[in-house]
Amino acid sequence: MLKTRITKLLNIEYLIMQGALTAVGTWKFAAEVSKAGALGCFTAVTAGTPERLRRQVRMLRREVGDKPFSVNISLYMCPYQDEMFKVLVEEEPQL
């Protein structure tokens, strides 16, 4: 397995980062990517509302344990971006 500064910094096994896939970047997809050893990325707009985003970030965290994941907010597509940012600050995802 290739170890680099990035894999060590991000605490991932494989130097693979899931892109922020607007329509399919769900928390479940990100969980599978993270559990496989890469960096999963959950796209906040797939949650729809700030309340659902909070629930889904928590479900993602429970699913992956200490494996890292990131959350993307697509600024031009997210109708509640200020509230979504607030949720992420409060929930503190790893990346």
Side-chain angles (χ1 to χ4, degrees), residues 18-21 25-27 30-31 34 39-47 49-50 52-54 56-58 60-61 64 68-75 78 81 84-89 91-95:
Q18 174 191 344
L21 305 166
T26 65
W27 74 269
S34 290
L39 180 64
C41 181
F42 170 36
T43 305
V45 75
T46 64
T49 67
R52 285 184 59 199
L53 175 63
R54 183 180 310 279
Q56 291 179 6
V57 167
R58 290 177 179 176
L60 176 52
R61 184 176 287 120
V64 302
F69 63 89
S70 63
V71 181
N72 175 270
I73 296 181
S74 300
L75 298 179
C78 189
Q81 75 184 43
M84 297 281 206
F85 275 115
K86 183 177 178 191
V87 166
L88 294 179
V89 167
E91 293 299 320
E92 299 180 345
Q94 293 96 323
L95 301 174

Side-chain angles (χ1 to χ4, degrees), residues 2-86:
L2 178 66
K3 289 290 182 188
T4 68
R5 286 186 282 173
I6 296 295
T7 59
K8 291 175 187 171
L9 176 70
L10 298 178
N11 192 29
I12 56 178
E13 297 174 52
Y14 304 103
L15 192 54
I16 299 171
M17 298 178 193
Q18 174 191 344
L21 305 166
T22 304
V24 296
T26 65
W27 74 269
K28 290 179 182 181
F29 187 26
E32 294 304 317
V33 171
S34 290
K35 288 189 307 185
L39 180 64
C41 181
F42 170 36
T43 305
V45 75
T46 64
T49 67
E51 296 80 24
R52 285 184 59 199
L53 175 63
R54 183 180 310 279
R55 283 194 310 271
Q56 291 179 6
V57 167
R58 290 177 179 176
M59 288 187 287
L60 176 52
R61 184 176 287 120
R62 278 193 302 271
E63 185 75 21
V64 302
D66 65 345
K67 301 249 184 194
F69 63 89
S70 63
V71 181
N72 175 270
I73 296 181
S74 300
L75 298 179
Y76 65 96
M77 296 187 71
C78 189
Y80 307 102
Q81 75 184 43
D82 291 340
E83 294 90 347
M84 297 281 206
F85 275 115
K86 183 177 178 191

